[in-house]
């Protein structure tokens, strides 16, 4: 059994219930993930980090390339997608559980 401090548990539970209590970075990441997923899916799930980043810039979405790379590395099991393993080793498979 893993021991977790009650204060940490309640903080996590409160953030799960009220997303506005999460950090600003986490809130921004959630919005960016929607844009990244849209671009990636619009291009037959073949675009890599650089092409997704360039397309976002063309779409007037200001984001750093390293941020796009970080968000595309989210493990598929966290995001709730069970798609092709070959397209991305881990992620940018946003689904109902796409967490950031």
């Amino acid at each position: 059994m893993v021991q977790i401090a009650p204060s940490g548990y309640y903080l996590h539970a409160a953030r799960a219930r009220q997303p506005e209590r999460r950090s600003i970075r986490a809130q921004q990441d959630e919005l960016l993930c929607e844009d990244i997923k849209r671009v990636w899916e619009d291009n037959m799930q073949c675009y890599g980090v650089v092409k997704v980043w360039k397309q976002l810039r063309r779409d007037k979405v200001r984001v750093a390339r390293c941020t796009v790379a970080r968000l595309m590395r989210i493990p598929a099991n966290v995001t709730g997608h069970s798609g092709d393993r070959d397209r991305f080793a881990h992620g940018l498979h946003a689904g109902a559980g796409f967490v950031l």
Side-chain angles (χ1 to χ4, degrees):
M1 177 185 243
V2 177
Q3 295 183 353
I4 300 173
S7 61
Y9 169 78
Y10 288 115
L11 178 63
H12 176 75
R15 288 179 178 167
R17 282 191 314 270
Q18 301 170 332
E20 65 275 1
R21 294 187 68 181
R22 290 181 299 154
S23 68
I24 293 173
R25 177 180 173 177
Q27 293 175 22
Q28 290 173 342
D29 285 352
E30 186 174 359
L31 296 175
L32 284 173
C33 285
E34 294 170 7
D35 289 331
I36 291 171
K37 182 177 185 271
R38 174 187 49 81
V39 168
W40 185 68
E41 287 181 347
D42 287 350
N43 293 286
M44 298 181 291
Q45 303 176 354
C46 291
Y47 271 15
V49 171
V50 175
K51 286 188 176 183
V52 169
W53 173 65
K54 286 182 178 181
Q55 183 61 46
L56 288 172
R57 289 179 56 196
R58 284 190 289 266
D59 294 344
K60 306 290 191 246
V61 178
R62 294 187 56 173
V63 61
R65 186 203 49 78
C66 58
T67 302
V68 174
R70 177 176 55 83
L71 295 176
M72 289 178 75
R73 279 195 304 263
I74 294 174
N77 60 354
V78 172
T79 59
H81 187 295
S82 60
D84 294 335
R85 235 173 19 116
D86 299 329
R87 292 227 168 95
F88 277 100
H90 295 89
L92 179 60
H93 303 304
F98 199 64
V99 180
L100 294 180

